[in-house]
């Protein structure tokens, strides 16, 4: 969707919102350009904090841009204020051009806790 509609399109933003609804453990989602600029951030309350930010110097951003494959980060401090994990997926345009990536952030315990019952 983002590859066809563009990284900042209304249709793309709605697709990101729907994906977050389908994955309730997700705290936030970023859409990042191939230059490491945050093109979109969801939810809106988070967008004001990071929207338009240059995150190209972050190791996880550099890795996503270089490798252009789905990735899962190590645990690291997130702008949301907690130690979390980012999972990224590359975005390519209709012509196959690399546009950037989508990255979801979540608390590891929120994801794992759904599958692991307490003792």
């Amino acid at each position: 969707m983002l590859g066809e509609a563009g990284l900042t399109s209304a249709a793309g933003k709605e697709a990101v919102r729907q994906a977050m609804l389908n994955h309730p453990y997700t705290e936030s989602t970023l859409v990042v350009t191939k230059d490491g600029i945050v093109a979109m951030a969801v939810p809106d309350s988070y967008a004001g904090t990071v929207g338009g930010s240059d995150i190209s110097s972050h190791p996880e951003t550099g890795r996503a841009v270089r490798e252009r494959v789905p990735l899962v980060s190590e645990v690291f401090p997130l702008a949301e204020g907690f130690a979390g994990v980012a999972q990224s997926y590359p975005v390519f345009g209709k012509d196959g051009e690399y546009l950037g990536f989508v990255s979801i952030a979540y608390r590891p315990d929120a994801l794992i806790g759904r599958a692991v019952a307490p003792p």
Side-chain angles (χ1 to χ4, degrees):
M1 168 61 73
L2 286 170
E4 294 174 12
L7 296 183
T8 59
S9 68
K13 189 169 189 174
E14 185 55 31
V16 168
R17 287 181 198 276
Q18 289 302 314
M20 286 185 68
L21 289 174
N22 292 334
H23 301 92
Y25 54 84
T26 304
E27 295 279 339
S28 64
T29 301
L30 297 180
V31 177
V32 182
T33 69
K34 64 183 175 185
D35 299 317
I37 306 299
V38 178
M40 181 191 313
V42 177
D44 290 335
S45 59
Y46 183 58
T49 304
V50 298
S53 297
D54 181 346
I55 60 170
S56 60
S57 64
H58 294 201
E60 298 303 328
T61 300
R63 183 174 173 220
V65 169
R66 267 191 325 277
E67 296 185 23
R68 301 179 182 182
V69 296
L71 297 169
V72 177
S73 74
E74 297 292 327
V75 176
F76 68 102
L78 296 168
E80 291 90 332
F82 60 88
V85 173
Q87 216 169 319
S88 65
Y89 194 85
V91 177
F92 296 93
K94 292 183 220 177
D95 59 359
E97 176 189 2
Y98 177 69
L99 301 176
F101 63 94
V102 175
S103 177
I104 63 168
Y106 54 87
R107 297 172 193 267
D109 57 321
L111 177 66
I112 296 168
R114 299 175 318 121
V116 179

